Structures are given as C-alpha cells and as structure tokens.
Amino acid sequence: MAFVATSIPFSANPRPSPSLKPFNPFSSFTHPLSHSISTIASVFRCVRISSSLPAPNAPNATATSTTFPVTVDTLVPRFGPDEPRKGADVLVEALERQGVRHVFAYPGGASMEIHQALTRSDIIKNVLPRHEQGGVFAAEGYARASGLPGVCIATSGPGATNLVSGIADALLDSIPIVAITGQVPRRMIGTDAFQETPIVEVTRSITKRNYLVLDVEDIPRIVKEAFYLASSGRPGPVLIDIPKDIQQQLVVPNWDQPMRLPGYISRLPKPPGTAHLEQIIRLISESKKPVLYVGGGCLNSSQELRRFVEFTGIPVASTLMGLGSFPCTDDLSLHMLGMHGTVYANYAVDKSDLLLAFGVRFDDRVTGKLEAFASRAKIVHIDIDSAEIGKNKQPYLSICGDVKLALQGINKLLETRVKQQGFDFWAWRVELDEQKVTYPLSFKTFGDAIPPQYAIQVLDELTHGNAIVTTGVGQHQMWAAQFYKYRRPRQWLTSGGLGAMGFGLPAAIGAAVANLNATVVDIDGDGSFMMNAQELATIRVENLPVKILVLNNQHLGMVVQWEDRFYKANRAHTYLGDPSRESEIFPDMLKLAEACGIPAGRVTRKADLKGAIKKMLDTPGPYLLDVIVPHQEHVLPMIPSGGAFKDIIVEGDGRTSY
C-alpha cells in the first residue's frame, strides 16, 4: 500500500497553552506571519537597537536592524519598590523588561531557583524542550523567524554543555540569542563539584560575550548588556552563568544601572559616507556585467535591496543564509550560488566584472577556490563586521557598516540619477536568461519512486510559497534551498555555518511559537530528524501546528553522495536502517509519532504524494509525513570542495560509477 496513515485522536480545536493562544484566526497561507510579535510591540514601549551609530547631525536617528519591545511602562510589579527579592526573581523581571515573552528552559539542580521564579511570572511562558540542545535550537528558530533575541535556560554541567552546539551555530550564522545557565554556588566553583563545568571558559570563543555573575546587584545591568550585545552590530549569542547562591540571595534591584560597554559602543560602525556611496554608483555605471551577491546580512534590508534592484536592474544571487532577502520568484533572481547553487548564479559570478557583496563573508561553500572566484570582477564589500572585510577575498572598495543604511543612502542618490539617466544591462540579462534556459534546476523520475526534489516542489505549490521552512543538514537541506521559492526574509531557517544536524525540528518549535498563525514545515532527513526526535513530545504538549516532512532514504544522504563521487561508493557506516531487515523502513517514524500522540502518514509512490502532503497541511495541529525516497539521488549542481566554476558537475547520481 503506497500511503499508510496512523490514526491518532486529535481535536480540531485543542486547548492551547494560555500564552500560546493565537491572537487572530487568520489563514496560515494568506497571513503566514503571526500577529503575535506585532501585537506585543504595539502594547509595549519599543526600544530600537542600532547596528551602527547615528549620524552626527541627527542625534535621534536610528539605524535599526533589530527591534524588541520593553515592558517597563506596563509591568505589574510582583514586589514593592523597596522589597527584597531573590536574584532569580530579579533575573526574570529583567527578562520581562527586555520584552521576553517566551523562554526555552530545561530545569536542573543549579537552575531550579530560576524555574521557580518563572512560575511567578504572568508574562513569560516557558516552552519546555525535552533536551537542552532542543531548547537552544528552538531559541534560535524563534530568533531567526522573528528577528527578536531568543532565550534558552539550562542547568550547570551537562545541561550547560548541551547548549554548546546551538551557541556555536548562533555565532556562525549571526543569530541573537541569550543563553542563561545555572552554576554551582560561588564557594564551590573550582572544586570539581557535582555538575560543575566552567561554561564561561568552554564558550568563550563561541559567544560575542559571556558573563559569570558574582554579585547579585549586577543582574539588571548584565541582562541589559546581554540583549544589547546580542542584537546590535553583528548579532550573535551571549551567555550568562549564574551561581545558585546568587539566584537565592535577596536584593533590592537597581533598574537604572547604565551599561558598561564603552569600548564596544565606540567600535560600532558609523553610517557610510556619501563619497563611498557615490563611488559605488560610479562603479555600477562603468560596469557591463554586475552581479549582486547577498547574504544573511541583508535579511533586515529586504525592502531597501528590492528598491536598489528596481533602480539598477542588477541580477541577484543569494547565499544559503540570504535566501528570502530577495524574492526567488523575481525575474532578476539567480537563486542560490555556491557549491550547490544554480549553474546560472555561479556563471554570473564567474563572468561578472563587478561583484556587489552585501552582508556576506565569502564562505568557502560559496567561493570554492578563492583565486578563481569572481576573478574578473571588481569587488565591493559591505558588511557590519570589520573582521570580514578582506578576510578571505580582497575588495576593490569596502564599507564597514550597516547594509540597510548603505542601501538607503545609495537609493537616495539613485532616485535623482535614474530620472536623468538609468542603467542598461539588457545584454547581460539576456546572456543570463540563456543560461537559465540551458541549465535549469531539474531532476529525473524513476518509475513510481518519489524524487525528493519533487516533494519540495509540491510543498511549495500547496503552500503558495508562504510557509516558514526549517531543515536539518544534508541533501534535504540543499533541495529545500533549491526547490522551495522563498518570497520574503525570515521564511527560511537553516543551520548554515555550523551545519548542525538535528536543527530542523526544534527550530520549527521556535518558529511556531514566534508565529502562531503561520504554516511551519520542518523539511528533514531521517538522519537529522532522529537527532532531536524527542522534541515531538514538546510539539504535542504545546499543541504547536508544526508539519514534519521527512525525506527518508535510510542513509546519511550527503555523505553517501560524497562516497559515490570520491570514494568509489564504498559505504562507511552511512546506512541508517537495520542491516538484518533491509527491506523494511527502520526506524518506524510512524510509531515514533504515535508514541507522542502525533498523526502521521507514509507515502512511497509519486502518484500519491500530492494527496499525502495536502492531508498533512489540512490536518489540524502537528503532523508527520514520512516520504520514502531513493538513496541514489545526488544534489546537483555541485562544485567539488576547493573547486572552481569550471569544475561544476551537472549530471549523474548514485546509479552511476565514478
């Protein structure tokens, strides 16, 4: 039987958790982003965190990459102004004052006081993960989908170390999260006490900053600084480690303590000068084959980017992290570039004479062989992080600053110029259109087998391209990047720099909490899904309408692809099924879902796929669809690691010997 469904009783109108109740019953397709964030922002006084310093003549100007609401004016105090309260209660109120509505926290001995304090808050809801790694990935999903800092909390020792992968992931992908850990009492630090780990030392190189709180009176200032650091400049993770005796100590908090970040604030980039922006326009006017290369740094500048493209007519190639900053459905979109990018995006960069690199870091999965990448082009590099300028590729012109401000400035200059004399890149666009026709993204079908690429195409069709998509890491991740057409920023959530398997399911939890009325789909591989499958329990308990599309090939697909291409197809522990029962699907995803009370189905034939995906989307609440796909499929195109555009592979799969 091609389609198998498990029958799990599920109410069409489950009783949601109090603070997870949707604000409006909008259609998830016509209103893909929940009004929860905007509603919160309308209630609370908003503080805008700037990625750069205001212009000298505009003291009140802001250059906003992140906005989060602060509840100072609307907080209902639980304590009198001069009433002592525990450090843990001070921490929770400090989070409330930063506009935090949800945390992803797993309790333990060293963090119990924090959890007790959370039960006394009417503002903050804890979404209980089933593993600390699930909690930090959920906080990342929340931050990626909303643009607001995500918050996760864990206990000391193994609880804290379980956060490490998520913290590293947030650093590499520039995601604002605040991780809070319990610690053994101060007198026991350094004694190898039970569940003691020096998490500040462990995470020193993978955070923007971390704190060990040694004075309870510092909590208000440290929390304020942590959110500022996480959200300003180049966003990233900040860790706060709080000993248990600090959590228990009584104090009357001083909420008016100033931040102590003079060095950091002084180094925030200033708005770009007009002379530099005019030079960029001059380079564009002198160019014949310009290309925009946009990354995750453009996610907060989507509107300005679109306006810039309207003025110039320059085609846009996106990194994996930048997908959605410019609509993939636009005629000027070249989709993704890099190792598994489109032929025409990589062709455009290879043949370009001007590369406008905005909000990118010239990652090795994009550039391949550095000497050959954009070797004919003058490079203009704009990035908020000075460390990225010239790190991998030397630019002809660079601006260290907020891409949003730079684009606003350029667009203002272009408004006058375009009225007088526009740009003409018609011949270049025709050349690229020919490449699109010659080398489209495509796949083959073998009998009744389901091509994984087709499954994502069908999902894109049935959701009208409006779903928020999360993924694990591997082949399914690349196919989701290639075949789903992202139309807006913060719609595509994936682990890019670290490539952390197990990211997709908990990230979908965070995205669903941040956007209650959205359709959230975790496109996962069986390998990645199993790494955090325990979070099915969280989804069920929180009644989150997360849809899980597992592309199940019973293998570690991307490693298998490399084995096929470079290791003569020698299988080295990449089969994930049961070797004694190769004809059966193992493990049985339907039973895993059933164990957590989640409806599930399995589809094995292409003809049944559309109906199965439609049922998944139409089923109220969560649903898991196990899509059985061939393990021989390869992600193409592919530029081998360290290769150049001339080395691109466009044909073949695991059915062929190399």
Side-chain angles (χ1 to χ4, degrees):
M1 186 174 177
F3 180 77
V4 183
T6 58
S7 178
I8 303 294
F10 178 75
S11 170
N13 297 294
R15 183 175 63 85
S17 303
S19 55
L20 290 181
K21 184 178 181 180
F23 286 94
N24 292 296
F26 293 127
S27 162
S28 56
F29 295 142
T30 57
H31 297 270
L33 293 181
S34 169
H35 287 240
S36 58
I37 295 298
S38 60
T39 303
I40 295 168
S42 69
V43 174
F44 300 136
R45 176 168 61 85
C46 287
V47 168
R48 295 184 177 273
I49 294 301
S50 172
S51 294
S52 54
L53 296 176
N57 298 326
N60 295 321
T62 60
T64 304
S65 287
T66 304
T67 302
F68 54 85
V70 177
T71 63
V72 176
D73 296 339
T74 56
L75 274 175
V76 178
R78 293 184 292 279
F79 301 90
D82 297 322
E83 182 182 356
R85 77 286 316 256
K86 288 184 175 182
D89 288 295
V90 175
L91 172 68
V92 169
E93 185 171 343
L95 294 176
E96 292 172 349
R97 286 169 173 261
Q98 294 300 323
V100 174
R101 296 282 288 184
H102 297 93
V103 297
F104 304 89
Y106 197 89
S111 64
M112 286 180 62
E113 290 286 352
I114 299 173
H115 282 263
Q116 290 295 311
L118 283 170
T119 66
R120 295 188 280 272
S121 172
D122 294 326
I123 293 175
I124 297 177
K125 156 77 177 178
N126 181 35
V127 179
L128 178 67
R130 268 41 181 188
H131 190 287
E132 291 92 352
Q133 187 180 94
V136 66
F137 283 157
E140 272 199 272
Y142 182 96
R144 291 172 190 253
S146 69
L148 306 177
V151 179
C152 58
I153 303 174
T155 190
S156 63
T161 56
N162 279 341
L163 299 179
V164 167
S165 291
I167 293 171
D169 188 63
L171 184 76
L172 284 169
D173 287 351
S174 304
I175 307 302
I177 66 168
V178 175
I180 299 169
T181 53
Q183 184 55 276
V184 299
R186 285 173 294 177
R187 68 182 182 280
M188 300 174 70
I189 292 176
T191 67
D192 295 331
F194 177 67
Q195 291 192 335
E196 180 195 359
T197 298
I199 197 64
V200 164
E201 300 303 324
V202 170
T203 62
R204 190 177 300 282
S205 62
I206 55 170
T207 51
K208 282 189 74 173
R209 181 164 179 176
N210 52 28
Y211 295 88
L212 174 61
V213 181
L214 296 176
D215 187 337
V216 68
E217 294 185 354
D218 288 338
I219 291 176
R221 173 184 59 83
I222 286 174
V223 171
K224 190 186 303 182
E225 289 180 7
F227 277 79
Y228 184 84
L229 288 164
S231 303
S232 60
R234 181 177 179 175
V238 178
L239 180 133
I240 305 173
D241 194 31
I242 310 178
K244 188 167 184 176
D245 60 322
I246 293 286
Q247 299 171 35
Q248 296 170 327
Q249 189 174 343
L250 296 177
V251 69
V252 176
N254 175 10
W255 299 112
D256 298 323
Q257 297 177 58
M259 294 190 297
R260 300 176 188 171
L261 301 170
Y264 175 81
I265 292 173
S266 69
R267 291 193 299 273
L268 285 174
K270 296 177 175 60
T274 303
H276 284 104
L277 303 182
E278 288 176 339
Q279 193 173 355
I280 293 174
I281 294 175
R282 178 180 62 79
L283 290 171
I284 294 172
S285 65
E286 294 172 353
S287 170
K288 300 296 182 185
K289 298 183 176 184
V291 174
L292 270 160
Y293 155 37
V294 300
C298 289
L299 291 177
N300 292 321
S301 315
S302 178
Q303 185 177 347
E304 291 80 7
L305 177 62
R306 295 185 195 196
R307 187 71 172 147
F308 176 76
V309 174
E310 287 174 10
F311 281 138
T312 62
I314 297 175
V316 182
S318 173
T319 67
L320 181 72
M321 292 301 300
L323 286 171
S325 57
F326 187 79
C328 293
T329 51
D330 193 284
D331 289 341
L332 284 171
S333 173
L334 300 172
H335 304 284
M336 188 172 69
L337 81 164
M339 177 177 282
H340 293 296
T342 61
V343 171
Y344 39 91
N346 286 307
Y347 173 93
V349 172
D350 187 64
K351 303 298 182 186
S352 67
D353 60 7
L354 178 66
L355 186 67
L356 302 174
F358 293 173
V360 298
R361 59 188 181 91
F362 291 89
D363 174 70
D364 62 287
R365 288 296 170 106
V366 167
T367 63
K369 186 178 181 180
L370 272 170
E371 298 80 10
F373 182 76
S375 58
R376 301 170 175 84
K378 292 179 180 177
I379 296 175
V380 175
H381 192 185
I382 303 178
D383 199 87
I384 195 77
D385 186 357
S386 60
E388 295 297 342
I389 306 292
K391 183 178 79 174
N392 293 328
K393 194 79 176 175
Q394 195 63 38
Y396 180 84
L397 172 65
S398 65
I399 295 176
C400 180
D402 190 332
V403 173
K404 188 181 186 77
L405 280 186
L407 284 170
Q408 287 173 348
I410 294 172
N411 290 343
K412 188 173 182 180
L413 295 172
L414 285 173
E415 284 177 7
T416 304
R417 178 192 168 88
V418 170
K419 290 177 183 177
Q420 299 171 352
Q421 179 184 359
F423 301 99
D424 182 12
F425 301 121
W426 180 81
W428 174 227
R429 289 169 61 178
V430 169
E431 182 179 343
L432 295 180
D433 286 343
E434 290 173 354
Q435 289 292 312
K436 287 184 178 182
V437 172
T438 306
Y439 298 104
L441 286 172
S442 61
F443 56 87
K444 296 178 181 178
T445 300
F446 295 88
D448 290 334
I450 300 172
Q453 305 93 324
Y454 175 68
I456 294 165
Q457 277 189 344
V458 171
L459 180 69
D460 180 54
E461 174 191 340
L462 293 179
T463 59
H464 312 294
N466 279 327
I468 294 176
V469 174
T470 70
T471 73
V473 170
Q475 286 182 315
H476 69 276
Q477 176 192 29
M478 294 297 105
W479 286 319
Q482 292 175 334
F483 287 92
Y484 199 95
K485 305 307 177 191
Y486 302 96
R487 290 159 168 79
R488 64 181 186 279
R490 306 200 177 283
Q491 188 185 358
W492 161 249
L493 318 180
T494 196
S495 173
L498 191 68
M501 293 176 67
F503 176 85
L505 190 62
I509 292 173
V513 170
N515 299 279
L516 287 173
N517 297 309
T519 297
V520 179
V521 182
D522 170 30
I523 300 175
D524 229 326
D526 50 314
S528 278
F529 173 76
M530 287 300 297
M531 286 200 172
N532 272 313
Q534 77 282 341
E535 298 308 325
L536 288 173
T538 303
I539 290 171
R540 173 69 285 163
V541 169
E542 299 293 342
N543 290 320
L544 296 172
V546 172
K547 312 300 182 183
I548 305 145
L549 185 74
V550 179
L551 299 179
N552 189 346
N553 63 7
Q554 297 282 280
H555 288 75
L556 282 173
M558 188 61 84
V559 185
V560 166
Q561 177 170 333
W562 282 54
E563 287 176 338
D564 288 340
R565 294 282 177 176
F566 310 118
Y567 294 90
K568 299 180 180 179
N570 181 48
R571 296 289 176 258
H573 320 117
T574 49
Y575 176 61
L576 299 179
D578 183 349
S580 66
R581 297 180 294 167
E582 289 192 15
S583 61
E584 299 178 17
I585 302 299
F586 178 87
D588 190 335
M589 303 295 181
L590 306 187
K591 290 183 178 179
L592 282 175
E594 182 181 9
C596 292
I598 292 177
R602 176 176 293 147
V603 60
T604 60
R605 296 195 309 136
K606 183 181 178 184
D608 301 323
L609 179 66
K610 183 173 287 189
I613 292 179
K614 189 174 187 305
K615 179 176 181 180
M616 175 187 76
L617 295 171
D618 291 344
T619 300
Y623 191 96
L624 184 148
L625 181 60
D626 193 22
V627 182
I628 309 304
V629 298
H631 73 272
Q632 297 95 337
E633 290 295 323
H634 284 186
V635 180
L636 297 175
M638 177 183 181
I639 298 176
S641 181
F645 174 67
K646 66 180 178 61
D647 304 312
I648 196 165
I649 300 168
V650 296
E651 290 288 341
D653 57 25
R655 302 170 182 88
T656 308
S657 298
Y658 300 95

